[in-house]
Amino acid sequence: MAQGNYVFTSESVSEGHPDKICDRISDTVVDLYLGADPLSRVACETLSTTNRIILAGEVRGSSSVTHAVIEDAIRAAVREIGYEQEGFHWRNAEITNLLHEQSSDIAVGVDAAGNKDEGAGDQGIMFGHACRETAALMPAPIHYSHAILRDMAEARRGGKVKGLGPDSKSQISLQYENGKPVRATSVVISTQHDDGLDQNEIREIVRPFVEKALPAGWMCPEEEFYVNPTGRFVIGGPDGDAGLTGRKIIVDTYGGAAPHGGGAFSGKDPTKVDRSAAYAARWVAKNVVAAELAEKCTIQVSYAIGVAKPLSIYVNTYGTGRVSEEKLGAHLQSVVDLSPRAIRERLGLSAPIYARTAAYGHFGREPDADGGFSWEKLDLVDDLKGLKA
């Protein structure tokens, strides 16, 4: 996006949104298989609707991951999110498991054999992005949209706030001046709530979470603060709207402030470059910005199914680079191996670390001690800082 004065908007959805429930379930299945065998293959799609959950897709892994094990894990996930409603209940929802063995035609293209390295699990293009708008090196609108809903969910599950349900959405519009965010022009929050609470009561329950998430002085004008604009949101979750895995890819990434290659993340093991290469591209872009080589950076990589070497690596620093993009791109290729196997091993992706990524964004999170969000580490900075113009 060009520098200047403009308003930019991003949205987030909570862990209780129907699509996010499906992402969580699909990633729970990934974690079960990787926990039993780090070399498992998983491509799991989930559909949710009124008291119904349906799984479909392809797997290859340990026989210890039975249908009963998967069902128990799904019910535990739905319970943790907070669904104990008549139209969608962790205990009563009917679960249909249609997962089957991975296609041998896909497997032969991906697996390493003889002199052939592990290939990409599919063709495609993936993007990573970082910028200095927030301490997390994320675009500000999506960063603050996530923060509001994450804090609301933690307060709800911890019993610190009453009356809110699991399903919610946020949307923040920020004013940019000279290319930098300076304040919110509008904030929209829609949240499921207990019957009997009116719109003004919900507004005052939600207000502290918005004010906490935004920097001091950034709150929008009162007339631009919208909470449950329809006035009522009691029926929510899959009982109100069907959910599917992979329908919130912009919420998952950069809120529209950077390109997205098109592929969803959840439900996929790390041989699928839709996921692993997008993580690696974010890792590289974040380290470029942290190393002060640019104020803003987007990385694109592309792959062919069954081929290990990326077909292309593109760097865009939006005119903020301290070195030329050509020189930066060449240096990155000399210090970072972006083949699927190298990404998986360098970032430790063959581990059960994915259910936690299913809500509030895959990027801009703190790395976990057990390897979760490893793509947020700044362990390339020293390799990049010495690069001269």
Side-chain angles (χ1 to χ4, degrees):
M1 185 175 291
Q3 298 291 304
N5 301 332
Y6 53 88
V7 175
F8 192 82
T9 304
S10 294
E11 72 158 350
S12 179
V13 298
S14 73
E15 62 203 56
H17 185 281
D19 296 331
K20 282 288 139 200
I21 296 169
C22 293
D23 285 344
R24 170 72 174 271
I25 290 170
S26 292
D27 276 336
T28 294
V29 173
V30 172
D31 283 354
L32 286 173
Y33 274 97
L34 292 178
D37 178 1
L39 299 181
S40 294
R41 301 286 186 262
V42 183
C44 176
E45 309 293 344
T46 302
L47 161 70
S48 65
T49 186
T50 302
N51 268 334
R52 190 79 187 267
I53 297 169
I54 301 172
L55 274 64
E58 302 78 46
V59 296
R60 186 180 76 189
S62 173
S63 60
S64 66
V65 186
T66 63
H67 280 208
V69 168
I70 291 172
E71 179 172 328
D72 286 347
I74 290 172
R75 295 192 188 281
V78 174
R79 184 180 187 182
E80 184 178 337
I81 291 169
Y83 277 103
E84 296 185 339
Q85 301 168 8
E86 182 179 354
F88 195 72
H89 197 295
W90 65 268
R91 184 187 290 115
N92 303 329
E94 180 182 348
I95 298 175
T96 302
N97 189 337
L98 303 177
L99 294 170
H100 60 81
E101 285 292 313
Q102 182 189 51
S103 160
S104 59
D105 288 350
I106 293 177
V108 74
V110 176
D111 292 344
N115 293 325
K116 175 185 174 295
D117 196 5
E118 179 181 298
D122 201 354
Q123 72 177 48
I125 56 174
M126 298 84 208
F127 290 91
H129 181 77
C131 61
R132 290 203 169 275
E133 293 181 14
T134 62
L137 302 185
M138 285 287 289
I142 189 67
H143 178 77
Y144 298 127
S145 294
H146 286 323
I148 293 167
L149 297 187
R150 186 170 56 245
D151 288 350
M152 285 172 54
E154 289 174 357
R156 173 182 56 81
R157 286 190 270 104
K160 296 178 181 179
V161 64
K162 303 295 184 182
L164 300 185
D167 191 358
S168 58
K169 303 177 75 171
S170 63
Q171 181 175 288
I172 295 179
S173 300
L174 294 184
Q175 176 70 51
Y176 282 70
E177 295 181 358
N178 298 318
K180 296 182 178 181
V182 296
R183 62 183 174 275
T185 60
S186 67
V187 175
V188 184
I189 307 293
S190 295
T191 180
Q192 188 181 12
H193 59 88
D194 291 350
D195 202 1
L197 289 176
D198 65 32
Q199 189 176 24
N200 288 331
E201 288 175 303
I202 300 299
R203 183 187 189 91
E204 296 314 310
I205 292 173
V206 166
R207 185 188 300 276
F209 295 100
V210 177
E211 292 176 341
K212 176 188 174 185
L214 291 174
W218 279 35
M219 185 63 179
C220 66
E222 188 64 18
E223 64 272 18
E224 297 295 331
F225 180 36
Y226 304 96
V227 177
N228 285 7
T230 64
R232 180 178 169 85
F233 187 3
V234 174
I235 299 172
D239 190 29
D241 187 14
L244 290 170
T245 301
R247 283 207 300 197
K248 289 293 178 286
I249 58 176
I250 301 304
V251 171
D252 285 343
T253 54
Y254 307 102
H260 189 293
F265 300 156
S266 292
K268 299 177 181 178
D269 74 76
T271 67
K272 278 70 170 177
V273 284
D274 276 342
R275 176 169 229 161
S276 56
Y279 289 173
R282 160 65 180 175
W283 172 56
V284 173
K286 184 177 182 181
N287 276 267
V288 166
V289 173
E292 300 182 348
L293 295 178
E295 294 292 305
K296 186 176 182 180
C297 180
T298 293
I299 304 288
Q300 184 208 59
V301 290
S302 67
Y303 295 86
I305 188 169
V307 178
K309 183 181 177 181
L311 304 184
S312 66
I313 299 175
Y314 163 80
V315 180
N316 184 356
T317 56
Y318 304 87
T320 70
R322 309 294 196 269
V323 299
S324 71
E325 290 163 348
E326 181 180 8
K327 186 172 184 178
L328 178 56
H331 185 66
L332 289 173
Q333 293 184 65
S334 72
V335 299
V336 181
D337 185 346
L338 291 176
S339 66
R341 181 203 293 272
I343 292 171
R344 182 169 51 79
E345 293 177 350
R346 176 70 183 261
L347 298 181
L349 299 182
S350 297
I353 56 174
Y354 296 105
R356 72 194 73 171
T357 69
Y360 315 118
H362 293 245
F363 308 126
R365 312 282 288 272
E366 287 293 321
D368 293 326
D370 67 351
F373 300 103
S374 58
W375 48 94
E376 294 296 317
K377 290 183 177 180
L378 298 177
D379 52 355
L380 281 178
V381 169
D382 289 343
D383 291 328
L384 298 175
K385 273 195 168 181
L387 188 60
K388 303 297 182 183

